[in-house]
Amino acid sequence: MEKRRLGRTELMVTPISFGALPMQRCTMEEAGEVLKAALDAGINFIDTARAYTDSEEKIGRHIANRRSEYYLATKSMARTKEAMAKDIDISLATMKTEYIDLYQIHNVKVEQDWAAVMAPGGALEALKEARAAGKIRHIGITGHNIDLLVKAVKTGEFSTVQVPFNCVEQGAMKELFPLAKSLDVGIIVMKPLGGGLISNVDLALRFILEQDGLVAIPGMDRLEHIEQNLAPTKDFKPLSAEERAKLSAEAAELGPNFCRRCGYCVPCAVGIDIPQMFIFHLQYTRYDMKTAIPERYKGLKVKASECIECGECEARCPYNLPIRERLKQVAKDLG
Ligand code: SF4
Ligand code: SF4
């Protein structure tokens, strides 16, 4: 499979690599099958996070013995030096590895995060010490706030930047991508399938692949995802005008403000499974599943109508979605 150079890290990685966020939805056994199949298919870059519950553990359990076959990236939400140093050691132990190729500061969302990370005693200091000690090889940053990522890339401290990019979210094209390329910062694309909501995988991934130098990490938690996601890399063809129009039509239908199922908003104060609410609602409205969805919804322990409007979830949503308002709509339609 083609390999792309991940900026100044010099890592040569598969342009469609492995996003390990959905690993947390698999059983331990299923995770092993998917991870091993991904390596067997030639994928050589895996991106996970401390925040993805047991995703690191599953990687350590199943593919630590094949460590030479893949580059490993993880990330932490820690903002202080002490907390980041602790998380790096936990990642190393959990994934049973002596080094991590890329350790990223996870989801720098607001100015306070950025200030904390960069301050004396901030997370960046721990990452630099870990790099000097050989525990990690490169330092990266991830987020959804393009202005903050531009600021981060300009410091020269980061070898990679990870940002959402797909047919619906193209904000990074304007300034971030050209800047990163000019400074030789590797670009990792999260949410290439809009969190699984862009239905035409082939078109969505070819849209990414036709951009020079990008490395996408679609989430994979089933064996069929591997074949589906790698298919566009074989005999790659840029999008035709007709295909581009088809993708744009889907993007227009989704609009920019849809739930990407990232799960940052949970846990909810009263136990509402927020992403699941939005999935049900989308299936009910967009896919016209007017009988099956109300049936499944009825079986949920905590319903949208039980939201107490505390707002805690909205503060954590990287897309600033009006979750409370949306839940009211879910409650209206589904009860
Ligand atoms: S605003 Fe509603 S959905 Fe959000 S955390 Fe509070 S109770 Fe849960
Ligand atoms: S509501 Fe926001 S934080 Fe929650 S899953 Fe959707 S996009 Fe992610």
Side-chain angles (χ1 to χ4, degrees):
M1 203 191 313
E2 179 208 342
K3 306 275 191 316
R4 288 187 176 178
R5 181 177 166 275
L6 190 57
R8 67 174 83 129
T9 68
E10 300 288 355
L11 303 179
M12 295 300 294
V13 304
T14 39
I16 300 297
S17 285
F18 193 96
L21 183 148
M23 278 286 98
Q24 46 190 344
R25 296 200 283 261
C26 299
T27 63
M28 190 53 87
E29 200 187 345
E30 287 163 355
E33 282 175 20
V34 177
L35 286 163
K36 286 174 202 164
L39 296 184
D40 292 343
I43 291 176
N44 77 345
F45 179 59
I46 296 176
D47 179 84
T48 183
R50 292 288 314 122
Y52 301 163
T53 61
D54 60 1
S55 172
E56 284 190 343
E57 189 192 336
K58 285 165 171 160
I59 290 167
R61 177 84 66 94
H62 294 295
I63 54 169
N65 60 343
R66 296 177 65 172
R67 184 66 184 87
S68 61
E69 293 176 47
Y70 58 94
Y71 297 113
L72 186 54
T74 190
K75 43 192 155 347
S76 159
M77 300 265 204
R79 301 297 183 236
T80 66
K81 180 178 180 182
E82 197 186 346
M84 181 58 87
K86 202 169 154 200
D87 264 359
I88 294 168
D89 286 341
I90 294 173
S91 293
L92 287 165
T94 311
M95 294 194 284
K96 300 191 181 120
T97 180
E98 285 174 6
Y99 66 93
I100 289 160
D101 298 282
L102 175 66
Y103 212 103
Q104 302 152 103
I105 296 175
H106 193 174
N107 195 20
V108 176
K109 191 178 173 202
V110 289
E111 283 289 345
Q112 291 98 301
D113 287 339
W114 173 244
V117 160
M118 300 303 284
L124 184 62
E125 285 185 3
L127 289 163
K128 285 179 166 179
E129 283 183 12
R131 185 174 56 191
K135 292 180 177 182
I136 67 170
R137 301 255 157 102
H138 303 281
I139 300 172
I141 190 159
T142 83
H144 302 70
N145 181 328
I146 307 268
D147 292 340
L148 278 179
L149 293 177
V150 164
K151 198 190 263 196
V153 165
K154 281 182 180 166
T155 64
E157 298 281 10
F158 303 99
S159 301
T160 63
V161 62
Q162 185 178 142
V163 65
F165 178 68
N166 53 55
C167 60
V168 189
E169 299 170 274
Q170 299 185 36
M173 282 273 254
K174 201 171 156 215
E175 190 181 358
L176 182 61
F177 286 175
L179 177 73
K181 285 179 187 173
S182 72
L183 296 174
D184 203 17
V185 169
I187 300 170
I188 303 169
V189 169
M190 66 166 107
K191 310 276 184 300
L193 303 173
L197 290 181
I198 301 169
S199 62
N200 196 321
V201 173
D202 178 60
L203 299 190
L205 292 181
R206 281 166 57 210
F207 171 78
I208 312 268
L209 286 169
E210 66 182 10
Q211 321 275 337
D212 198 27
L214 303 192
V215 171
I217 48 165
M220 308 195 204
D221 60 357
R222 294 208 304 268
L223 289 174
E224 58 264 34
H225 290 158
I226 297 168
E227 200 178 328
Q228 225 174 29
N229 292 338
L230 292 185
T233 64
K234 294 168 189 151
D235 298 324
F236 169 75
K237 286 183 201 70
L239 297 176
S240 66
E242 205 180 307
E243 288 170 327
R244 207 174 294 284
K246 200 169 164 192
L247 198 57
S248 301
E250 180 162 12
E253 201 187 322
L254 275 173
N257 297 319
F258 62 96
C259 170
R260 274 76 166 177
R261 302 196 280 167
C262 60
Y264 290 126
C265 52
V266 291
C268 151
V270 297
I272 297 170
D273 185 341
I274 300 166
Q276 187 60 55
M277 294 292 153
F278 296 145
I279 292 168
F280 276 162
H281 197 246
L282 190 86
Q283 290 170 329
Y284 179 76
T285 51
R286 187 164 177 235
Y287 302 117
D288 208 24
M289 295 166 73
K290 293 285 191 285
T291 314
I293 293 303
E295 276 304 311
R296 280 186 225 162
Y297 184 81
K298 228 189 277 170
L300 292 176
K301 274 200 194 118
V302 190
K303 310 241 175 5
S305 56
E306 287 165 73
C307 171
I308 55 170
E309 300 198 41
C310 67
E312 285 174 18
C313 52
E314 290 182 13
R316 293 192 294 259
C317 175
Y319 296 93
N320 299 317
L321 295 186
I323 296 174
R324 289 172 284 190
E325 282 309 307
R326 298 261 173 107
L327 286 179
K328 281 183 197 163
Q329 191 59 47
V330 176
K332 195 167 162 227
D333 291 342
L334 294 172

